[in-house]
Amino acid sequence: MRALELKIPPPAVGLCVGVLMWLAARALPVSAFALPGREYFALALAAVGLLTDVAGIVSFVRARTTVNPLKPANASSLVTSGIYKMTRNPMYLGMLLLLLAWATYVANAIVFVLVPAFVFYINRFQIGPEEKALAKLFGDAFTAYKGSVRRWL
């Protein structure tokens, strides 16, 4: 299982899950449901997700640290300001919100099963290894941050 740790870029994971959601909806149209105003709700979720992603990226750029999720050991600073006061992983949270927006737009019950699969994968193969690297790099500062800010929300 360790072979998957920090190997697949999280945006690629999100895209794959999104494609699987679309394929599942097409394969099981019987799971479709009517959701009045779904386009507006999906658009609102997508906007919040995109803004969350961008806020995380901007915070990293301002701190002049790496945005590359496959190389957390290259981090030059521990970012704890801005959106990082609310969530330790705004970029993954943003992707999750984008997937929820897509699931809402698709309006098929079966696609919502894939959302927890994304969370499981990101927790196990991305966030866990990232947090080990950050603990090694930043020690007590990261431990204190981890104790005061939730992983997702």
Side-chain angles (χ1 to χ4, degrees):
M1 287 286 237
R2 292 181 54 113
L4 291 175
E5 291 182 356
L6 302 173
K7 297 293 186 222
I8 303 172
V13 174
L15 182 63
C16 287
V17 171
V19 169
L20 286 173
M21 292 165 87
W22 179 74
L23 291 172
R26 291 189 49 101
L28 296 166
V30 70
S31 299
F33 57 88
L35 184 60
R38 70 177 163 70
E39 295 90 354
Y40 299 112
F41 188 61
L43 186 59
L45 272 173
V48 172
L50 188 58
L51 288 172
T52 303
D53 273 336
V54 169
I57 293 167
V58 166
S59 291
F60 269 34
V61 170
R62 284 185 179 157
R64 293 190 172 102
T65 192
T66 184
V67 181
N68 183 354
L70 303 182
K71 304 282 184 190
N74 292 346
S76 59
S77 63
L78 179 62
V79 180
T80 60
S81 60
I83 194 159
Y84 286 89
K85 289 181 180 181
M86 295 177 272
T87 173
R88 294 195 317 258
N89 296 287
M91 291 178 250
Y92 304 141
L93 176 59
M95 282 187 249
L96 173 61
L97 291 170
L98 288 168
L99 287 172
L100 286 170
W102 179 235
T104 300
Y105 181 77
V106 170
N108 186 303
I110 197 69
V111 302
F112 285 93
V113 173
L114 294 168
V115 174
F118 170 79
V119 172
F120 171 80
Y121 183 91
I122 291 297
N123 275 331
R124 169 62 182 88
F125 297 107
Q126 191 63 43
I127 295 173
E130 279 180 9
E131 289 186 342
K132 286 178 192 169
L134 294 174
K136 192 174 187 179
L137 280 172
F138 302 110
D140 292 339
F142 179 72
T143 302
Y145 174 65
K146 187 176 169 183
S148 65
V149 177
R150 295 175 60 108
R151 180 177 274 183
W152 289 91
L153 263 183

